[in-house]
């Protein structure tokens, strides 16, 4: 049986001082090898990860170095970037070449929302993917999803041919009114579709928990870290076939593979512990940004939106301590990027944000926090 941990190739280690595209291949290759040595085999990439370089890293670190039978590879059609139907074959061929494979084990329409679904309908993206599947270049077809359970129900009703869905599921979003993890999960279950889980640690948010939550968790499993709790919550859900983790270090690969050997469902005490942690986190939440970076490239003011939200969240979490470095980090971006107050409110970022964050409004908070004396 397939072990339920997938290696997300979107938070890879970077070279010293490097930008998002500067993935440190010398550190990635040993991580890939260690993952395979422990009998995990699922890798997940996308056209846009690491500024368009993730697929090439997959080729160099994985597909050129290991036999095709040793791994399963998932890639995604960037629906949000499609302008015309001829973009689809062009991008698909490019993806196969970049990855160095002649088929994908899993292929997804990337990040469907109601808006992106309209694009996929207009350009017949499902039909394109079905054709590739018929030709054996896609083994299993699915889509990743960031909208309400109602929209998910509509897509699954109109496209019963999909083999699986990829959903944002974690114990903090489980009852969240925007993300609707539980409702989306139950919708997939009702349609009989296996679920691949993305953002199980919510972009790192669930890696750092309030002390009271951690103490309760340690009483149940003294050897589980906060990220392990998050991964095991998702993996223990019935009908979940895979849980993706965007790993950045060899240590994370070692810890996560050890924790995901066996993934039984949570018992009542474990469920109560994560519900308690979620309640505490909700009390302290600032901006629910997962750091996916979908908003970054289209911003005319060149604002590093997720970086600012991360700094803001962390600064609030540490009580805005005058000795912390968040203010300095914020100011470091000044020479090369827009400030939070440079936002012109064009809304380009809001249209692509899978977390439905009111980004211009939240940037005003960031500007008030970091730009006023
Ligand atoms: S609304 Fe502001 S942050 Fe968003 S894309 Fe436009 S300028 Fe950038
Ligand atoms: S603001 Fe939204 S789109 Fe931008 S990185 Fe955060 S979650 Fe992603």
């Amino acid at each position: 049986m397939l072990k339920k941990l997938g290696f997300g190739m979107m938070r890879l280690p970077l070279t010293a001082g490097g930008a998002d595209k500067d993935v440190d291949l010398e550190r990635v290759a040993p991580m890939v090898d260690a993952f395979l040595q422990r009998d995990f085999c699922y890798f997940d990439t996308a056209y846009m990860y690491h500024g368009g370089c993730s697929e090439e890293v997959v080729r160099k670190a994985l597909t050129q170095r290991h036999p095709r039978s040793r791994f399963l590879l998932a890639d995604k059609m960037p629906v949000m970037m499609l302008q015309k139907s001829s973009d689809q074959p062009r991008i698909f061929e490019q993806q196969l070449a970049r990855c160095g494979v002649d088929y994908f084990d899993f292929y997804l329409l990337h990040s469907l929302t109601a808006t992106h679904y309209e694009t996929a309908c207009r350009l017949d993206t499902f039909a394109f993917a079905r054709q590739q599947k018929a030709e054996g270049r896609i083994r299993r077809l699915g889509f990743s999803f960031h909208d309400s359970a109602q929209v998910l129900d509509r897509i699954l009703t109109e496209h019963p041919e999909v083999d699986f869905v990829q959903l944002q599921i974690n114990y903090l979003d489980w009852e969240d009114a925007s993300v609707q993890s539980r409702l989306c999960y139950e919708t997939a279950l009702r349609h009989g579709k296996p679920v691949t889980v993305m953002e199980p640690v919510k972009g790192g948010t669930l890696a750092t928990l309030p002390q009271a939550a951690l103490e309760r968790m340690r009483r149940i499993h003294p050897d589980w870290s906060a990220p392990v709790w998050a991964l095991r919550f998702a993996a223990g859900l019935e009908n979940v076939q895979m849980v993706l983790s965007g790993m950045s270090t060899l240590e994370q690969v070692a810890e996560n593979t050890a924790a995901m050997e066996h993934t039984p469902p949570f018992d009542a005490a474990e469920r109560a512990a994560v519900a308690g942690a979620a309640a505490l986190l909700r009390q302290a939440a600032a901006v629910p940004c997962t750091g996916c970076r979908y908003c970054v490239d289209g911003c005319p003011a060149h604002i590093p939106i997720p970086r600012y939200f991360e700094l803001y969240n962390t600064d609030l979490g540490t009580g805005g301590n005058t000795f912390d470095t968040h203010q300095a980090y914020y100011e470091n971006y000044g020479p090369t990027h827009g400030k939070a107050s440079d936002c012109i409110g064009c809304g380009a970022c809001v249209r692509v944000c899978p977390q439905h964050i009111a980004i211009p409004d939240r940037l005003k908070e960031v500007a008030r926090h970091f730009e006023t004396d």
Side-chain angles (χ1 to χ4, degrees):
M1 203 169 117
L2 211 54
K3 295 181 190 176
K4 288 191 187 177
L5 177 68
F7 194 149
M9 307 292 277
M10 83 290 274
R11 293 195 177 97
L12 296 168
L14 305 177
T15 53
D20 194 37
K21 284 178 176 233
D22 301 319
V23 175
D24 188 344
L25 198 59
E26 285 186 16
R27 285 161 69 204
V28 175
M31 291 164 65
V32 165
D33 296 349
F35 190 74
L36 288 170
Q37 272 159 16
R38 290 164 188 245
D39 285 330
F40 290 80
C41 64
Y42 190 104
F43 294 83
D44 173 85
T45 186
Y47 193 70
M48 59 210 291
Y49 290 167
H50 281 289
C53 290
S54 172
E55 292 167 329
E56 301 221 353
V57 172
V58 164
R59 187 182 75 247
K60 290 174 185 164
L62 173 68
T63 70
Q64 283 182 341
R65 300 175 60 249
H66 295 280
R68 186 68 182 88
S69 57
R70 283 285 284 120
F71 59 85
L72 297 170
L73 182 59
D75 204 343
K76 312 184 190 79
M77 174 63 72
V79 177
M80 68 295 280
M81 294 168 73
L82 298 176
Q83 304 283 334
K84 50 191 185 309
S85 50
S86 61
D87 290 340
Q88 296 168 164
R90 176 180 58 77
I91 289 173
F92 188 73
E93 298 303 329
Q94 200 182 358
Q95 291 180 302
L96 289 169
R98 278 182 179 178
C99 290
V101 294
D102 49 18
Y103 68 91
F104 292 115
D105 301 277
F106 295 81
Y107 195 77
L108 304 91
L109 277 57
H110 197 169
S111 195
L112 288 192
T113 56
T115 311
H116 296 151
Y117 182 54
E118 273 175 35
T119 305
C121 291
R122 180 168 56 82
L123 300 177
D124 236 352
T125 314
F126 280 95
F128 170 79
R130 277 198 307 272
Q131 180 59 33
Q132 299 305 320
K133 188 178 173 193
E135 292 174 18
R137 304 168 93 204
I138 292 173
R139 297 287 159 89
R140 271 160 280 188
L141 173 62
F143 59 89
S144 60
F145 182 77
H146 289 287
D147 209 318
S148 67
Q150 199 181 6
V151 174
L152 180 62
D153 187 52
R154 181 184 158 207
I155 300 176
L156 288 174
T157 302
E158 293 175 1
H159 290 282
E161 76 274 25
V162 301
D163 300 305
F164 69 103
V165 290
Q166 185 163 307
L167 301 176
Q168 174 165 326
I169 292 181
N170 57 67
Y171 64 77
L172 185 55
D173 289 328
W174 191 240
E175 299 294 350
D176 184 272
S178 304
V179 180
Q180 303 187 352
S181 276
R182 178 176 60 77
L183 294 175
C184 288
Y185 165 76
E186 288 170 358
T187 301
L189 210 58
R190 221 172 35 249
H191 283 266
K193 303 299 177 190
V195 173
T196 293
V197 171
M198 58 184 159
E199 301 291 2
V201 193
K202 199 170 166 65
T205 304
L206 302 183
T208 317
L209 298 177
Q211 197 54 32
L214 272 179
E215 281 168 13
R216 180 177 185 178
M217 290 167 148
R218 281 201 193 112
R219 282 198 292 276
I220 302 171
H221 293 292
D223 54 333
W224 284 15
S225 67
V228 167
W229 271 92
L231 292 173
R232 291 287 294 261
F233 167 79
L237 294 169
E238 180 198 353
N239 205 41
V240 163
Q241 61 179 0
M242 193 56 59
V243 177
L244 303 178
S245 173
M247 293 176 275
S248 310
T249 65
L250 195 54
E251 291 70 32
Q252 281 172 1
V253 174
E255 181 182 42
N256 290 353
T257 51
M260 295 288 276
E261 278 290 329
H262 305 289
T263 51
F266 268 16
D267 63 20
E270 290 166 331
R271 281 198 302 275
V274 294
L280 286 173
L281 281 166
R282 268 194 295 275
Q283 281 168 20
V287 186
C289 170
T290 62
C292 70
R293 298 180 56 82
Y294 294 172
C295 55
V296 172
D297 287 345
C299 173
H302 306 295
I303 299 170
I305 299 164
R307 297 285 163 87
Y308 286 172
F309 286 157
E310 188 182 11
L311 286 172
Y312 181 55
N313 284 344
T314 318
D315 206 47
L316 290 183
T318 54
N321 183 331
T322 46
F323 296 107
D324 69 39
T325 53
H326 304 126
Q327 180 75 38
Y329 275 110
Y330 181 81
E331 288 167 10
N332 282 346
Y333 285 108
T336 47
H337 296 78
K339 300 197 296 289
S341 59
D342 292 336
C343 171
I344 57 170
C346 68
C349 53
V350 177
R351 286 193 284 280
V352 296
C353 177
Q355 308 304 324
H356 311 289
I357 297 169
I359 294 172
D361 291 343
R362 306 311 303 261
L363 283 175
K364 285 186 190 139
E365 288 174 32
V366 173
R368 276 198 298 277
H369 189 78
F370 285 120
E371 294 179 32
T372 50
D373 295 328

